[in-house]
Amino acid sequence: MTRPRLRWYSVSVDTLRTFGLVLATLAVVAGGWFGYRWWESHSLEREAAALIAQAKQVSERLAARPEMAGGEYAAGLSLLGEAEEAYARESFEHAAAQARRSLAVLDSILDSLAGGEGGEAHFIAVHGNVQLRRRESNVWQEARSRESLAPGDYVRTAANGSAEILFADGTLYTVRPNTSLIVSATRGGDGGAERSITIDYGWVNLSTSRRPIRVDTPEAQARVAEESDAYVAYEQEAERGRFGTLRGSMEVEGRDGERVRVDESQHVVQRGGELSAPRPLLPAPELVAPPESHELSRARDETVVLEWEPVEGARGYRLEVARDSLFVDRVIEDAGRPRTRATLGIRGEGSFEWRVAAEGGDGELGQWSPPRSFRVAALGSGGRDGDNDGDREPPPLEIGEAQGYGNIFIVSGRTEPGAIVEINGESVSVDASGAFNKTIQLTGEGYSFIVVEARDAWGNARQRRQRVYVDAGP
């Protein structure tokens, strides 16, 4: 019987050291990655909890006032309730977004009460290039969040602009890009005020509260019932209007007096002076993958696959991917897609929102799917543009004038993409362009400081300080 021969190999001490160093480096990177995800998750949870607490504080200050029944106050409480439900489901990103909207609505009420004359409506969110022209002026100016609007004021958005406007009766308008409208108030048949807007061109989504509202276009007029979600659009060159109801109902009247009722999940098209018969809206596609708040890394992921369920009767699909929840800062806008999936190359860091709508044979757009988000992180990318030698230059940091009411302040600014930002020690979400926005609450009364710090991947930091006055109020 032949005995097996043993084969001996020699391994140098340097090789073992190198191998051990590689294993240690991988362990550190893996630990850092999971640590970062744990920190980010808990940071978002804390931010959502803080925003909910701030909105509750403002709502309690308003609750004792008898004039707070319905209207904006009810809308603010409804958003706060949605934020609390999302927080209970551990959907912290959605909870923070709804709480931030609730706080903006409730803050606008405080502004109205403090200033006496609150106006017909308020901007509660402004994104990109949005301009405002007062009735008595010929000068266009930059629109600002929480600024009031009165009858006769004009609002217009550029291709990269969108805004949310809340009327005193609780109706919420989302003004899409490339839209021009006028805030107006007419008298209803019972002698009461009928709040309305007139659209010169563009697209407006609206959600009514406890009162119906009116929307005029150059060729038709829509009366949207209470507790309804709808859209009204007008294409100036084609002289064509589009009217759709997502929830509730509305009645559309053409210039010749013809009236058409549009029930839930229906739409009509106006061409010239004629209105089409109501037709069903294609339902929203069901999103399949990736899951909500999916995490990717530029270090290991080159693509992301977006997938959704097919919609019966659809001739194609429209896909939008954007850096903001209103889909103003769009990075992808693709119409007529025949397939129910799309593979996207990863080009930058930050948080992104995506949604899909089905397209019908007549070119009509169906209902949008509820948006989903995914995040691309730069952690572990090995340095900027492949430079492993590091960087000693702090990231740029610009901050605007803090907008405040009492002890609550909204801070906005911009840094470089991928940087980590903290305001008074609280973490802030930074989008793919480097922009950030956060609501904070200061304690005490009198002058105080807001400290904003941005740090890059190498630990370089830049800090800005802003002096503000804190009014604790009653």
Side-chain angles (χ1 to χ4, degrees):
M1 181 175 180
T2 305
R3 299 180 61 186
R5 298 179 60 187
L6 298 177
R7 296 180 180 272
W8 295 87
Y9 298 91
S10 61
V11 180
S12 68
V13 174
D14 288 342
T15 300
L16 290 175
R17 286 175 178 169
T18 301
F19 184 68
L21 181 61
V22 169
L23 288 178
T25 301
L26 290 174
V28 169
V29 170
W33 169 250
F34 287 108
Y36 169 78
R37 293 194 63 179
W38 178 89
W39 170 85
E40 184 182 47
S41 173
H42 284 264
S43 173
L44 193 57
E45 179 181 357
R46 290 194 299 271
E47 180 181 5
L51 287 167
I52 290 172
Q54 291 168 24
K56 280 184 175 180
Q57 182 187 47
V58 179
S59 69
E60 289 169 0
R61 292 175 64 183
L62 293 168
R65 306 184 73 108
E67 67 269 34
M68 286 300 104
E72 291 183 65
Y73 184 62
L77 290 183
S78 176
L79 289 168
L80 177 56
E82 292 178 17
E84 291 178 316
E85 291 176 5
Y87 188 89
R89 299 193 308 269
E90 298 186 358
S91 180
F92 300 123
E93 185 171 2
H94 183 61
Q98 295 302 90
R100 191 176 292 110
R101 289 185 65 189
S102 172
L103 190 58
V105 171
L106 297 172
D107 276 347
S108 72
I109 302 174
L110 287 174
D111 285 341
S112 299
L113 296 175
E117 179 61 38
E120 189 76 9
H122 287 83
F123 287 105
I124 65 170
V126 175
H127 300 267
N129 187 356
V130 180
Q131 293 184 311
L132 166 66
R133 197 187 85 190
R134 297 297 183 185
R135 174 182 56 185
E136 67 279 0
S137 172
N138 291 322
V139 179
W140 288 95
Q141 63 188 50
E142 179 184 356
R144 299 182 182 277
S145 179
R146 297 169 63 186
E147 193 167 15
S148 65
L149 291 162
D153 290 346
Y154 287 76
V155 176
R156 69 181 182 190
T157 59
N160 66 337
S162 185
E164 289 182 304
I165 300 173
L166 189 73
F167 268 57
D169 63 358
T171 299
L172 177 66
Y173 293 88
T174 301
V175 186
R176 296 298 178 184
N178 294 318
T179 298
S180 174
L181 63 85
I182 309 168
V183 177
S184 54
T186 61
R187 288 287 171 184
D190 58 356
E194 180 184 34
R195 289 184 170 90
S196 65
I197 65 169
T198 299
I199 299 176
D200 290 332
Y201 59 85
W203 186 299
V204 173
N205 286 76
L206 58 134
S207 179
T208 62
S209 183
R210 300 183 181 182
R211 295 181 57 180
I213 61 93
R214 200 182 86 189
V215 180
D216 294 339
T217 71
E219 300 285 344
Q221 183 181 96
R223 282 185 169 85
V224 184
E226 65 274 10
E227 304 293 344
S228 296
D229 295 331
Y231 66 80
V232 176
Y234 184 74
E235 302 168 44
Q236 199 170 38
E237 293 185 2
E239 297 183 346
R240 177 170 55 194
R242 301 178 187 272
F243 305 84
T245 305
L246 309 177
R247 177 178 65 98
S249 66
M250 71 173 160
E251 184 180 74
V252 182
E253 182 178 347
R255 64 185 179 188
D256 60 357
E258 178 189 8
R259 294 184 180 183
V260 176
R261 179 182 170 89
V262 187
D263 289 318
E264 187 167 322
S265 299
Q266 290 185 335
H267 73 281
V268 300
V269 178
Q270 164 265 312
R271 290 182 174 88
E274 297 182 356
L275 299 174
S276 71
R279 290 175 287 186
L281 275 172
L282 289 171
E286 182 181 345
L287 305 186
V288 176
E292 171 65 18
S293 302
H294 183 60
E295 292 277 352
L296 300 120
S297 171
R298 291 192 67 186
R300 67 171 189 270
D301 300 306
E302 295 182 355
T303 61
V304 58
V305 177
L306 310 181
E307 187 174 358
W308 56 93
E309 294 286 353
V311 173
E312 185 177 355
R315 297 292 182 89
Y317 300 90
R318 182 175 299 184
L319 168 67
E320 290 187 353
V321 182
R323 295 187 177 95
D324 64 291
S325 59
L326 289 182
F327 289 85
V328 177
D329 189 7
R330 293 186 292 270
V331 294
I332 291 177
E333 184 178 14
D334 191 10
R337 297 189 61 86
R339 302 180 60 193
T340 58
R341 58 183 291 152
T343 302
L344 312 182
I346 294 176
R347 299 290 182 267
E349 303 87 14
S351 296
F352 299 86
E353 302 270 348
W354 68 284
R355 64 181 184 178
V356 181
E359 295 176 331
D362 57 359
E364 286 298 316
L365 194 66
Q367 300 183 52
W368 285 105
S369 65
R372 280 191 186 177
S373 64
F374 64 88
R375 177 178 170 83
V376 180
L379 188 67
S381 60
R384 182 182 299 153
D385 296 330
D387 179 8
N388 293 319
D389 294 333
D391 184 349
R392 296 186 178 182
E393 179 67 24
L397 177 61
E398 301 175 0
I399 60 173
E401 190 71 23
Q403 302 177 34
Y405 184 91
N407 64 343
I408 296 173
F409 293 84
I410 300 175
V411 184
S412 302
R414 186 177 297 275
T415 182
E416 67 181 20
I420 296 173
V421 175
E422 291 184 351
I423 300 178
N424 285 9
E426 297 182 20
S427 64
V428 182
S429 297
V430 181
D431 69 19
S433 68
F436 58 86
N437 183 287
K438 185 174 179 64
T439 302
I440 65 169
Q441 183 176 10
L442 300 179
T443 58
E445 189 168 6
Y447 285 102
S448 184
F449 282 95
I450 294 175
V451 181
V452 184
E453 182 177 274
R455 296 191 307 275
D456 62 19
W458 295 275
N460 304 309
R462 191 182 300 274
Q463 193 177 94
R464 296 279 187 262
R465 294 163 63 87
Q466 190 172 119
R467 190 175 185 229
V468 295
Y469 185 80
V470 182
D471 181 5

